[in-house]
Amino acid sequence: MTSRELTVHYTSPTDPAARPLLDELTHEYRTRYGPNEEMSRYPATEFAPPHGAFLLLLDPGGAAVAGGAFRRYDRETAEIKRVWTHSAHRRQGLARRVMRELEAEAVRRGYRRIWLTTGPRQPEAEALYLNLGYHPRYDLDADRAMLPYLPFETQLPYSALAPFGPEPRP
């Protein structure tokens, strides 16, 4: 399966198609960090238009193979959350595609900056964000075990077609 065979589907965390994403992320977070409430920290409405987005990449059969979301951080900033690739489909560039899709949607919504954090026990996520050109907001030489999270940010390209600040699209 190639990335071109996948369909971008904007939906909600409450969509049954999102269940694999939510279940695998919950398992990942608990395996890496022990019992935690990360997956229940934000209500589904945080990822709904006009200020948020939740997307899935669906295979030709309609199964979710990757996904991610953003929520409003402030008027100019979207916060990326829930980036995931199904365990059977990793190492194919799908997380990169999810990030690029989320960035493009954030630009369409009028955001000018992206903020995100990842955990210190997620080196693959850290590598993804660094490879995508996100700026680390922490000391790259720091002992990861001493950091509560790893923050990143990037500026988005300005679009004269997008409203300033995320307002509903017609």
Side-chain angles (χ1 to χ4, degrees):
M1 174 178 57
T2 68
S3 182
R4 289 183 181 186
E5 296 174 85
L6 302 176
T7 303
V8 176
H9 177 63
Y10 283 92
T11 188
S12 163
T14 61
D15 183 335
R19 182 55 34 206
L21 177 152
L22 301 174
D23 289 347
E24 277 202 343
L25 279 176
T26 299
H27 176 74
E28 287 281 333
Y29 293 151
R30 288 182 179 160
T31 300
R32 294 179 193 222
Y33 302 104
N36 66 78
E37 301 302 318
E38 177 58 31
M39 292 304 293
S40 61
R41 181 176 290 183
Y42 305 102
T45 56
E46 291 278 316
F47 305 111
H51 302 298
F54 186 92
L55 77 80
L56 297 173
L57 294 182
L58 304 178
D59 70 13
V65 296
F70 67 76
R71 62 188 283 274
R72 182 180 184 153
Y73 187 78
D74 63 33
R75 185 167 187 229
E76 293 187 359
T77 310
E79 180 181 18
I80 301 278
K81 305 296 286 179
R82 313 289 184 251
V83 175
W84 161 85
T85 300
H86 190 286
S87 57
H89 299 280
R90 293 188 177 148
R91 310 292 304 158
Q92 298 177 36
L94 300 182
R96 176 180 289 273
R97 172 143 181 225
V98 166
M99 289 296 294
R100 294 305 189 211
E101 295 284 350
L102 290 171
E103 291 166 354
E105 185 63 17
V107 168
R108 288 189 289 272
R109 302 277 181 94
Y111 288 111
R112 295 188 177 180
R113 178 177 166 256
I114 288 183
W115 170 262
L116 64 86
T117 59
T118 192
R121 296 181 188 160
Q122 294 171 258
E124 59 285 311
E126 180 183 17
L128 170 68
Y129 304 135
L130 289 170
N131 287 332
L132 288 173
Y134 279 68
H135 304 287
R137 305 305 295 169
Y138 60 96
D139 180 354
L140 288 172
D141 295 324
D143 179 357
R144 300 303 183 269
M146 303 305 292
L147 300 174
Y149 57 88
L150 310 178
F152 293 86
E153 69 178 342
T154 195
Q155 297 297 313
L156 293 170
Y158 171 74
S159 171
L161 301 175
F164 182 75
E167 302 300 330
R169 290 187 294 164

